[in-house]
């Protein structure tokens, strides 16, 4: 065989053999890739989320809610504080990827986004199918601080880029934990913003104490349920998509990779002279 | 602390409640990102112009101050310091605090060390520090100057995150720390990168500007000419420094510090003793190693790379091969490796509560204003203290001056309260003064003590007038600042580490040395193989018997030339001569063209080849292309000087093929001769073929009958002898001059009477120029090969039908006819 191939006369045969082998190799390669993509996708659909997602027992998608919670510490209290019949908890660690600056394969490789995609069951991009959505409400629950706001923006960007119908159909909500807890004796009132705090403290009279919540982890599970998760009491913000052009502009501008327009926008809108008014309440309290 | 921006929803006083507010996506993005951006800009990534610290750094120093871990006290576990800092002031991850503290303790990161670390705090190789449970730290002496006078109400304080403690908004920073230690950070839409400076120079600059507020950047640069990096290195003195100092933006060029040593066996060593700022040494060496492999032509002179650093200091060695010029290697390393870096200056700091890009002068002005405020506030504080003391002393002086009366008065009083009132009434004293007298111990009534009291009183009066003087006069205020800064300068100042060098880029030109071109011979065999060999070897190979038949062509060229292959599909493929594997033995298989060039189509093969350096293509004159369909095209060879692996040589009609290519001179008046498979031939003047561009189809050279095709062409010279051979083995020799010159694009003349009955064959098997041939090789389809002496073939006229040269039996036909030249015979 070797002799035959080494003979110059048989070069055309040898050439043909090589070409055939190369072709077969290419075909195998393509098939392997296709298989891999399919596997990655089916993995996403069937990946076990045990230990990550605390799913709910109810099977009616239209009643179910999924909370995406910032940090494992807050995730823990959310799991304990929830109503497991219809509330699922998915904690995410740290800051997720900014999908606006990443390619789709990087996004798909990201552990946190994989969990979200799998948990929602809809697929992403062109394959997004709202009918397979497992939760009617997807609630982003992040800390009431600046990093929480950042995480919220990153998650919204992800939904906007890869699961837009989720927003257009009104499935995306933002959980609103209280900012203050005003207590006087047995009476406890939560305030969700500064104006409310003024009103509450005005009706409370003297001798109350105010706790200012910086993170969800500061709340006990029952507190979290009572203030943020209980459908009877909680306040939610539904994210809508009215002006797609404007939304597109802001997402690109705030999350994209061009620095200059972002700087201009921030310079135009940021208020660098914000005054902390908490002290005034403090003063009133004494 | 920033708040949720949007509070427009009217709050309901009653609870419980349940509501869903709707917000458009764009608004949510805005209200999420703006507070985050504000926060990162103001409270995370950027330093304050006053003390040059980011919040986390300030909080670490303040924590150290509160814990009392001053340089004279023992070190404290880092975990404790980090824990205190987290719990009291910095409500974020522990690593954010520890990483910041580690950096403040790294002598290669900080020009003025602020933390004195004990244990592994990382290395210049980029190793990370040990975990915080292992390491210990305390303030570095310079940190005391950052914090000096902080307890004298010199800086404003704010509440911490839970409003239980107060933390300073800025530190007194008694030396210009923003310049000395620099800063770098990335915020949202903003970033900063301020280079570090020499403490002496920075203080000199501050004093200079304080004395002369109108001083220009250039004036400042007389005392502070450039940044001074903790890692030393060499900074190129160019106009970018001034530009950066003036505007806050500029690109500085920083180099490692190297010298040349003589190594063993005549090898020279490039020794690196200082690396550019923020370049991890190990990574830099790895990159150089990789470069030396990638850029062999430039860095082939590198023999070995070693890191010889030890406890005596940094030392990395690049050993060169013998007779390699170290300066040439250095020039390449400066250009391609981190041995030279660009430090992108972008001086942004928080001033007046907002991020600002500023030059050095603005930076120093803000700092001076800060110092003036600090000293004013301190003076006020000290003045209040002094006045309080003076007040008490004044009371005591009254008591001493009326000692007996005071004693009598006290003795007569029933209780301390009465005594105090009596004293106040009798001597017009204040409550505090009267109390001080009552609190006085009896031993203070000794003569010596009374003297001391008087002296203290005088001293305090002097102090008061001095302090009042400072507050009244800006000049005195500046003098105080100058004096105190000068003390710091004397105590902590050290010599400049970064050397300023002149820009010598022009002295070290980087010459990409090409490998020296060698002479080479390209041998093309009839079966399409290519061999490259030395000219010596090619002679030996050709001398072998029988080789001559296989060789189609031998080109003598050099290894820096390129081969241009023209294929039957009308493409031109290029192949660098040096890419053909060199044969070193006489008998060696060559490489097939398909193995050397990629992209050959089905059934595509080379029909012609030329060899030239790409930039010398115009020397090849013009190229003449002939197609099966009778088309002729000529173009300037320079049109083919294209550095692409594959491009179109000409435009072919569907089904047409390139038969061959020949080099002609521009304006050539010679003839072109075309021969077809049906035995037709035409001869016309070459200058009737216009010269056109590369991607053109050319013009018609010959009108062909249905099914006919051009199979051969030549540029006949007088006396040229042609051989015509039919499929059935009939052939004749004929003078090319026997053909009349005709017009281009005609039908031509019959060269052989190929009749319909096929008596001598239907088609021409081949046509050859046998002027210089000694023999002719004829191959038949069924494998028979015959060699006939060229001289034996009868010479006939154009109209003759030829003679049977080889016997072709049954369905056999002649498929190949080739000549053996007289040279090859020898």
């Amino acid at each position: 065989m070797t002799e035959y191939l080494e003979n110059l006369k048989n070069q055309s045969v040898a050439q043909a053999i090589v070409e055939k082998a190369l072709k077969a190799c290419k075909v195998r390669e393509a098939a392997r890739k296709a298989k891999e993509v399919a596997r990655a996708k089916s993995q996403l659909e069937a990946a076990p989320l045990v230990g990550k997602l605390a799913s709910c027992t109810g099977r009616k998608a239209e009643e179910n809610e999924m909370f995406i919670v910032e940090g494992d510490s807050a995730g823990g209290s959310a799991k304990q504080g929830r109503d497991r019949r219809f509330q699922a908890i998915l904690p995410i660690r740290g800051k997720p990827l900014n999908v606006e600056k990443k390619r789709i394969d990087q996004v798909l490789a990201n552990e946190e986004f994989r969990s979200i995609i799998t948990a929602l069951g809809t697929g992403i991009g062109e394959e997004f199918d709202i009918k397979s959505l497992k939760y009617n409400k997807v609630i982003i629950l992040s800390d009431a601080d600046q990093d929480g706001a950042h995480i919220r923006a990153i998650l919204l960007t992800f939904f906007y880029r890869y699961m837009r119908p989720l927003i257009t159909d009104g499935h995306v909500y933002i959980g609103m934990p209280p900012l203050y807890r005003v207590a006087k004796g047995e009476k406890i009132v939560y305030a969700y913003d500064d104006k409310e705090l003024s009103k509450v403290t005005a009706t409370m009279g003297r001798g109350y104490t105010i706790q200012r919540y910086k993170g969800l982890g500061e709340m006990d599970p029952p507190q979290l349920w009572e203030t943020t998760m209980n459908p009877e009491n909680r306040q939610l913000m539904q994210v809508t998509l009215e002006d797609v052009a404007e939304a597109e502009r802001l997402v690109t501008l705030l999350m994209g990779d061009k620095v200059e327009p972002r700087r201009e926008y921030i310079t135009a809108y940021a208020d660098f002279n914000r005054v902390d008014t908490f002290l005034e309440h403090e003063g009133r309290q004494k | 602390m920033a708040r949720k921006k949007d509070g427009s929803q009217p709050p309901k006083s009653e609870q419980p409640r349940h509501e869903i507010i709707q917000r458009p996506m764009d608004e949510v993005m805005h209200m999420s990102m703006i507070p985050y951006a504000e926060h990162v800009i103001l409270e995370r990534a950027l330093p304050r112009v006053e003390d040059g610290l980011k919040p986390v750094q300030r909080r670490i120093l303040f924590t150290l101050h509160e814990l009392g871990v001053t340089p004279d006290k023992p070190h404290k576990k880092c975990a404790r310091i980090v824990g205190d800092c987290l719990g009291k002031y910095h409500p974020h991850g522990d690593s954010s605090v520890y990483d910041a503290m580690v950096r403040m303790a790294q002598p290669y990161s900080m020009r003025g060390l602020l933390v004195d670390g004990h244990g592994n705090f990382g290395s210049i190789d980029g190793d990370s520090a040990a975990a915080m449970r292992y390491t210990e730290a305390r303030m570095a002496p310079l940190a005391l100057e950052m914090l000096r006078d902080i307890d004298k109400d010199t800086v404003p304080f704010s509440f911490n995150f839970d409003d239980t403690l107060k933390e300073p908004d800025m530190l007194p920073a008694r030396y210009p720390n923003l310049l000395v230690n620099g800063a770098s950070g990335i915020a949202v839409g903003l970033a900063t990168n301020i280079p570090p400076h020499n403490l002496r120079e920075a203080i000199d600059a501050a004093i200079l500007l304080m004395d002369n507020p109108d001083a220009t950047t250039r004036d400042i640069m007389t005392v502070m000419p450039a940044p001074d990096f903790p890692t030393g290195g060499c900074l190129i003195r160019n106009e970018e420094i001034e530009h950066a100092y003036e505007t806050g933006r500029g690109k500085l060029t920083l180099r490692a510090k190297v010298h040349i040593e003589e190594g063993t066996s005549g090898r020279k060593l490039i020794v690196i003793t200082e690396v550019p700022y923020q370049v991890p040494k190990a990574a830099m060496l790895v990159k150089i190693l990789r470069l030396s492999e990638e850029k062999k032509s430039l860095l082939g002179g590198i023999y070995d790379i070693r890191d010889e650093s030890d406890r005596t200091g940094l030392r990395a060695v690049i050993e060169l091969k013998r007779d390699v010029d170290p300066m040439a290697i250095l020039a390449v390393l400066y250009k391609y490796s981190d041995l030279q870096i660009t430090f992108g200056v972008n001086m942004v700091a928080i001033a007046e509560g907002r991020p600002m890009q500023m030059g050095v002068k603005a930076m120093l002005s803000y700092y001076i204003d800060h110092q003036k405020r600090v000293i004013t506030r301190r003076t006020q504080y000290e003045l209040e203290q002094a006045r309080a003391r003076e007040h008490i002393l004044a009371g005591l002086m009254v008591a001493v001056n009326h000692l007996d009366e005071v004693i009598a008065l006290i003795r007569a009083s029933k209780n301390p309260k009465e005594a105090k009132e009596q004293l106040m009434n009798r001597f017009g004293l204040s409550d505090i003064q009267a109390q001080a007298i009552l609190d006085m111990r009896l031993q203070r009534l000794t003569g010596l003590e009374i003297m001391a009291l008087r002296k203290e009183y005088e001293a305090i009066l002097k102090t008061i007038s001095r302090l009042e003087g400072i507050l009244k006069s800006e000049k005195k205020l500046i003098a105080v600042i100058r004096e105190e800064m000068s003390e710091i300068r004397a105590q902590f100042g050290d010599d400049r580490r970064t050397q300023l060098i002149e820009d010598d880029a022009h002295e070290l030109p980087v010459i990409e040395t090409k490998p020296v071109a060698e002479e080479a011979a390209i041998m093309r065999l009839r079966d399409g193989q290519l061999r490259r060999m030395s000219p010596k070897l090619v002679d030996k190979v050709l001398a072998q018997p029988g080789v001559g038949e296989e060789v189609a062509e031998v080109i003598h060229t050099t290894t820096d030339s390129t081969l241009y292959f023209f294929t039957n599909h009308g493409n031109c493929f290029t192949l660098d001569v040096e890419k053909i594997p060199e044969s070193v033995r006489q008998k060696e298989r060559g490489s097939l063209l398909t193995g050397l060039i990629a992209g050959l189509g089905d059934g595509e093969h080379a029909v012609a080849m030329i060899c030239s350096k790409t930039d010398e293509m115009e020397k090849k004159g013009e190229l003449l292309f002939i197609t099966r369909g009778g088309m002729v095209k000529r173009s300037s060879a320079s049109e083919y000087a294209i550095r692409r692996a594959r491009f179109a040589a000409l435009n072919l009609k569907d089904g047409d093929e390139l038969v061959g290519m020949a080099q002609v001179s521009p304006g050539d008046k010679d003839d072109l001769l075309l021969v077809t498979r049906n035995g037709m031939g035409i001869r016309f003047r070459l200058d009737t073929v216009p010269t056109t561009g590369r991607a053109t189809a050319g013009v018609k050279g010959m009108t062909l009958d249905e099914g006919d095709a051009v199979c051969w062409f030549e540029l006949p010279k007088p006396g040229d002898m042609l051989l015509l051979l039919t499929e059935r083995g009939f052939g004749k020799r004929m003078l090319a001059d026997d053909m009349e010159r005709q017009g281009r694009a005609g039908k031509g003349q019959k060269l052989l009477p190929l009749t319909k009955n096929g008596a001598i064959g239907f088609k021409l098997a081949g046509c050859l120029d046998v002027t210089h041939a000694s023999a002719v090789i004829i191959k038949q389809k069924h494998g028979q090969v015959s060699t006939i002496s060229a001289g034996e073939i009868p010479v006939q006229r154009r109209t003759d039908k030829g003679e049977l040269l080889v016997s072709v039996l049954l369905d056999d036909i002649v498929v190949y006819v080739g000549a053996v030249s007289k040279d090859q015979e020898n």
Side-chain angles (χ1 to χ4, degrees):
Chain A
M1 176 77 172
T2 317
E3 220 167 86
Y4 176 82
L5 288 179
E6 270 178 1
N7 193 331
L8 286 183
K9 280 181 194 154
N10 304 315
Q11 261 174 8
S12 55
V13 178
Q15 195 69 29
I17 293 175
V18 169
E19 266 165 28
K20 180 139 177 106
L22 279 175
K23 212 177 215 174
C25 172
K26 267 181 198 158
V27 169
R28 275 200 306 275
E29 187 79 5
R32 193 177 56 81
K33 264 193 187 150
K35 234 186 258 171
E36 239 169 44
V37 170
R39 197 184 304 143
K41 275 186 184 155
S42 64
Q43 255 181 5
L44 275 186
E45 276 151 28
L49 283 173
V50 180
K52 280 195 145 293
L53 173 80
S55 59
C56 52
T57 51
R59 285 284 164 256
K60 283 186 189 157
E62 59 274 17
E63 286 173 8
N64 289 346
E65 306 174 339
M66 183 172 89
F67 285 86
I68 301 177
V69 186
E70 170 186 354
D72 272 340
S73 40
S77 44
K79 277 177 198 170
Q80 295 169 51
R82 67 175 174 149
D83 184 331
R84 70 182 153 84
R85 283 172 302 172
F86 63 97
Q87 290 181 325
I89 310 290
L90 180 70
I92 50 169
R93 270 178 222 105
K95 296 245 171 110
L97 282 185
N98 178 3
V99 299
E100 193 70 8
K101 291 183 188 169
K102 300 285 174 192
R103 292 192 317 269
I104 181 158
D105 54 324
Q106 291 170 307
V107 173
L108 279 178
N110 180 270
E111 196 64 31
E112 311 298 341
F113 285 128
R114 288 170 73 98
S115 309
I116 294 176
I117 297 166
T118 313
L120 292 180
T122 53
I124 59 165
E126 283 165 10
E127 283 141 41
F128 183 89
D129 182 10
I130 197 86
K131 281 191 226 100
S132 352
L133 182 64
K134 294 189 202 155
Y135 303 94
N136 184 40
K137 288 193 173 79
V138 179
I139 302 167
I140 301 171
L141 196 56
S142 59
D143 288 348
D145 60 5
Q146 299 82 10
D147 287 305
H150 191 212
I151 288 172
R152 187 164 64 211
I154 292 171
L155 285 175
L156 280 177
T157 307
F158 168 72
F159 288 135
Y160 180 78
R161 280 283 169 245
Y162 291 99
M163 299 186 168
R164 194 170 304 177
L166 210 60
I167 303 179
T168 38
D169 292 2
H171 294 290
V172 178
Y173 295 82
I174 289 165
M176 301 181 65
L179 289 179
Y180 307 100
R181 173 178 178 266
V182 188
K184 185 184 179 184
E186 291 286 291
K187 200 181 168 196
I188 296 165
V189 184
Y190 297 99
Y192 289 80
D193 56 46
D194 293 340
K195 279 189 192 166
E196 204 175 50
L197 180 68
S198 323
K199 273 202 173 173
V200 169
T201 49
T203 56
M204 278 287 217
R206 295 177 67 86
Y208 54 81
T209 57
I210 305 177
Q211 187 186 356
R212 183 179 184 176
Y213 290 122
K214 291 293 295 177
L216 295 166
E218 280 178 57
M219 275 186 257
D220 303 333
Q223 280 182 350
L224 195 61
W225 162 254
E226 191 187 337
T227 58
T228 315
M229 298 175 73
N230 183 356
E232 305 284 315
N233 290 340
R234 73 182 174 199
Q235 201 175 0
L236 286 182
M237 184 188 289
Q238 186 176 29
V239 182
T240 60
L241 200 55
E242 287 161 13
D243 186 345
V244 180
E246 183 65 8
E248 177 72 34
R249 189 180 76 89
L250 272 174
V251 168
T252 320
L253 189 134
L254 288 172
M255 312 303 288
D257 44 16
K258 286 209 181 96
V259 177
E260 206 51 48
R262 180 156 52 245
R263 173 184 322 178
E264 278 161 22
Y265 187 84
I266 288 167
T267 325
Y269 288 99
D271 174 8
F272 289 122
N273 296 310
R274 187 172 305 233
V275 182
D276 192 338
T277 53
F278 188 44
L279 274 181
E280 289 159 30
H281 298 296
E282 197 90 325
R284 203 176 303 158
Q285 180 189 342
K286 279 160 191 166
Chain B
M1 294 284 141
R3 287 280 166 77
K4 264 235 177 84
K5 188 171 185 141
D6 205 297
S8 60
Q9 191 66 23
K12 291 179 181 172
S13 53
E14 281 178 25
Q15 290 179 335
R17 49 122 175 250
H18 161 65
E19 55 185 336
I20 291 178
I21 356 168
Q22 293 193 326
R23 282 277 181 283
M25 172 87 182
D26 44 283
E27 217 179 296
V28 180
M29 289 301 291
H30 176 95
M31 65 184 229
S32 299
M33 283 305 284
I34 290 295
Y36 177 67
E38 287 170 351
H39 176 76
V40 173
I41 289 169
L42 292 186
E43 298 187 52
R44 194 167 298 174
L46 305 181
R48 263 194 99 116
V49 73
E50 291 90 351
D51 58 7
L53 296 175
K54 295 179 188 181
V56 64
Q57 297 173 318
R58 187 177 305 117
R59 285 163 175 166
I60 289 168
L61 288 181
F62 189 61
T63 307
L64 289 172
H65 171 75
E66 293 226 299
L67 287 170
V69 272
T70 45
D72 52 338
K73 305 260 170 53
H75 290 90
K76 235 185 189 93
K77 269 271 170 285
C78 285
R80 265 197 76 184
I81 300 164
V82 170
D84 254 44
C85 186
L86 282 185
K88 286 173 158 178
Y89 310 113
H90 197 71
H92 300 281
D94 54 357
S95 61
S96 66
V97 175
Y98 185 55
D99 292 351
M101 185 158 81
V102 165
R103 194 176 177 277
M104 287 162 85
Q106 290 173 336
Y108 49 90
S109 298
M110 304 289 281
R111 190 61 186 83
L113 269 189
L114 294 177
V115 171
D116 172 13
H118 190 263
N120 172 13
F121 273 77
S123 78
I124 199 159
D125 276 343
D127 302 318
S128 52
M132 63 179 170
R133 62 179 180 280
Y134 298 116
T135 53
E136 296 181 334
R138 66 181 173 195
M139 271 186 225
L142 197 58
L144 288 175
E145 301 304 327
M146 289 296 291
L147 290 155
R148 189 157 119 192
D149 303 328
I150 193 168
D151 294 328
K152 292 186 178 170
D153 188 33
T154 46
V155 287
F157 277 65
S158 297
F159 277 105
N160 68 338
F161 58 89
D162 61 0
D163 292 0
T164 54
L165 296 163
K166 287 206 156 187
E167 59 170 326
D169 292 347
M170 62 193 87
L171 297 188
R174 305 305 316 280
Y175 66 92
N177 183 55
L178 183 59
L179 278 175
V180 170
N181 273 321
S184 73
I186 301 166
V188 181
L190 277 175
T192 189
N193 203 21
I194 304 172
H197 289 82
N198 184 283
L199 181 85
R200 282 184 196 156
E201 293 177 3
I203 287 178
D204 287 346
I207 290 176
L208 179 115
L209 189 63
M210 213 156 45
D211 289 343
N212 174 19
D214 296 328
T216 61
T217 303
R218 198 161 283 186
D219 295 336
I220 292 170
M221 285 179 73
T222 56
V223 292
M224 189 177 77
D228 185 25
F229 297 94
T231 46
C234 299
L235 188 69
I236 292 184
R237 191 201 300 269
N238 56 18
E239 65 285 354
E240 278 291 314
I241 301 176
E242 186 176 342
H243 189 253
Y245 278 177
E246 186 72 48
T247 63
R249 273 191 102 98
K251 285 196 163 76
L252 309 187
T253 310
L254 185 63
R255 277 184 191 166
K257 187 163 192 183
V258 297
H259 64 265
I260 312 292
E261 282 177 18
E262 289 293 334
T264 50
S265 55
R267 297 201 186 100
K268 289 208 167 57
L269 309 177
I270 298 177
V271 181
I272 304 164
T273 50
E274 290 171 6
V275 296
Y277 187 50
Q278 282 165 340
V279 169
K281 181 192 61 195
M284 180 185 84
L285 293 179
V286 168
K287 198 175 167 190
I288 291 176
L289 180 69
R290 220 180 47 231
L291 270 176
S292 72
E293 284 159 6
E294 279 167 13
K295 294 189 182 291
K296 276 238 161 62
S297 61
L298 290 172
L299 295 173
I302 293 181
Y303 177 78
D304 190 18
I305 299 174
R306 295 187 299 269
D307 189 352
E308 297 182 349
S309 304
D310 61 6
R311 61 203 162 78
T312 56
L314 193 154
R315 180 185 160 94
V317 174
I318 299 173
E319 188 170 359
L320 304 182
K321 290 177 186 162
R322 244 183 276 175
D323 302 327
V324 173
D325 178 13
M327 296 320 277
I329 296 285
L330 265 181
V332 176
L333 289 178
Y334 285 148
K335 186 166 178 198
Y336 293 106
S337 80
D338 279 346
L339 214 54
Q340 171 176 307
I341 59 159
T342 302
F343 188 94
V345 176
N346 179 20
M347 302 200 284
V348 177
I350 305 293
E352 297 173 29
R354 56 174 56 249
M356 256 190 234
Q357 182 161 77
M358 56 181 91
V360 160
K361 189 181 167 182
M363 212 182 264
L364 282 168
S365 301
Y366 278 115
Y367 174 71
I368 292 166
D369 287 348
H370 171 57
Q371 286 308 296
K372 285 181 185 167
R373 270 195 305 275
V374 165
I375 299 302
T376 306
R377 287 180 71 147
R378 186 187 72 183
T379 311
Q380 272 163 352
Y381 176 84
E382 285 175 350
L383 188 59
E384 275 166 34
Q385 302 281 314
R387 280 192 177 136
R389 183 72 189 149
E390 184 261 350
H391 186 62
I392 289 169
L393 285 177
L396 294 184
M397 293 299 289
V398 169
V400 169
N401 288 341
H402 306 84
L403 197 54
D404 296 340
E405 198 180 344
V406 168
I407 291 169
L409 195 144
I410 293 170
R411 285 191 63 167
S413 303
K414 273 186 281 183
N415 53 32
K417 199 182 167 211
E418 194 191 316
K420 195 153 79 175
E421 277 166 8
Q422 289 289 335
L423 281 172
M424 287 163 70
N425 290 339
R426 170 64 186 83
F427 298 106
L429 298 172
S430 71
D431 186 85
I432 296 168
Q433 285 172 323
Q435 188 63 47
I437 293 169
L438 289 175
D439 290 346
M440 201 161 66
R441 280 188 290 172
L442 285 174
Q443 72 168 14
R444 295 212 63 174
L445 301 179
T446 57
L448 216 59
E449 280 291 310
I450 289 174
M451 280 288 286
L453 203 63
R454 291 224 161 92
K455 268 194 187 144
E456 191 189 349
Y457 186 66
E458 275 165 30
I460 208 100
L461 285 179
K462 260 189 203 158
T463 305
I464 288 171
S465 81
R466 182 178 63 83
L467 294 174
E468 280 173 343
I470 293 171
L471 288 179
K472 272 185 215 137
S473 153
E474 168 120 348
K475 236 185 193 167
K476 283 186 184 159
L477 183 73
I478 288 174
V480 172
I481 298 172
R482 186 193 300 125
E483 192 183 319
E484 295 187 3
M485 246 195 270
S486 301
E487 279 168 23
I488 295 175
R489 183 186 187 281
Q491 192 185 343
F492 295 98
D494 58 2
D495 291 335
R496 164 173 272 282
R497 291 184 199 165
T498 300
Q499 194 185 336
L500 285 174
I501 56 169
E502 299 308 318
D503 189 0
D504 57 355
H506 52 281
E507 287 167 27
L508 291 172
V510 175
I511 306 157
E512 185 120 13
T513 46
K514 282 184 187 160
V516 182
E518 292 165 25
E519 280 189 28
I522 306 296
M523 181 183 284
R524 184 162 69 91
L525 305 181
R526 294 206 192 278
D527 57 17
Q529 288 185 64
L530 284 174
R531 290 179 71 180
R532 169 164 77 101
M533 54 191 88
S534 64
K536 252 188 205 166
L537 188 63
V538 82
D539 293 340
K540 281 187 195 163
V541 172
L542 290 175
Q544 287 178 302
V547 170
E549 291 176 21
E550 294 171 17
V551 175
E553 194 175 2
V554 174
I555 299 177
H556 288 273
T557 178
T558 49
T559 48
D560 56 351
S561 299
T562 304
L563 291 171
Y564 294 81
F565 295 98
F566 298 92
T567 69
N568 55 333
H569 289 186
N571 292 317
C572 180
F573 287 85
T574 60
L575 174 65
D576 291 337
V577 168
E578 62 172 357
K579 287 195 181 138
I580 306 171
E582 185 171 3
S583 309
V584 286
R585 280 172 294 161
Q586 291 189 9
K587 286 210 169 190
E588 204 174 309
R589 187 126 49 95
S591 315
L592 276 181
L593 197 57
T594 46
L596 291 170
I597 55 180
L600 277 174
D602 253 0
E604 186 168 13
H605 58 90
V607 295
M609 167 179 103
I610 56 170
C611 181
S612 166
K613 290 176 190 171
T614 306
D615 45 5
E616 289 177 359
M617 270 297 258
E618 73 275 4
K619 287 189 188 164
K620 293 282 173 188
E622 294 189 342
L623 304 183
L624 179 72
F625 297 88
I626 288 93
T627 79
R628 277 168 63 96
M631 298 299 286
V632 180
K633 185 198 89 136
R634 65 190 283 186
S635 308
S636 168
S638 55
E639 300 242 10
Y640 293 81
I642 296 174
R643 288 185 193 277
R644 239 190 294 157
R646 175 191 168 182
F647 53 89
L650 77 165
N651 289 347
L652 284 177
K653 279 189 195 129
D654 274 352
D656 202 359
E657 279 189 16
L658 187 64
V659 170
M661 186 275 304
Q663 290 174 42
V664 295
S665 327
D668 208 326
K669 289 202 166 51
D670 288 347
D671 287 353
L672 173 65
L673 195 157
L674 304 180
V675 177
T676 76
R677 295 272 283 152
N678 285 357
M680 299 297 287
I682 191 168
R683 183 176 173 158
F684 57 86
R685 281 172 62 113
L686 204 54
D687 58 4
T688 59
V689 179
T691 303
T692 54
R694 176 172 61 85
T696 57
V699 294
K700 184 176 261 189
M702 187 174 186
T703 304
L704 300 178
D705 284 338
E706 181 86 21
D708 200 4
V710 172
C711 65
W712 190 74
F713 73 95
E714 88 154 342
L715 304 166
K717 288 178 279 300
D720 268 7
M721 187 70 82
L722 308 184
L723 165 73
L724 295 151
L725 187 71
T726 73
E727 289 175 344
R728 304 300 302 175
F730 284 83
K732 67 173 179 186
R733 284 197 290 166
M734 182 189 120
L735 279 168
D737 297 331
D738 225 359
M739 289 173 68
E740 295 153 30
R741 181 184 281 164
Q742 295 177 305
R744 180 173 60 79
K747 287 200 66 167
Q749 304 146 289
K750 217 175 225 342
L751 302 183
L752 265 178
L754 293 166
T755 50
K756 275 193 183 149
N757 63 18
I760 62 164
F762 294 104
K763 298 273 181 188
L764 211 56
C767 188
L768 271 185
D769 178 355
V770 289
T771 322
H772 305 291
S774 59
V776 173
I777 299 166
I778 298 167
K779 290 183 185 169
Q780 293 172 30
K781 194 179 168 190
H782 287 189
Q784 195 184 335
V785 180
S786 337
T787 307
I788 303 170
S789 167
E792 287 172 15
I793 303 169
V795 179
Q796 298 184 335
R797 277 169 304 161
R798 181 172 67 78
T799 47
D800 293 336
K801 65 171 183 156
E803 282 177 14
L804 189 67
L805 299 182
V806 290
S807 61
V808 180
L809 301 170
L810 298 170
D811 63 335
D812 207 0
I813 49 168
V814 175
V815 288
Y816 170 84
V817 49
V820 177
S821 76
K822 282 170 186 164
D823 308 344
Q824 284 167 5
E825 192 85 320
N826 301 334

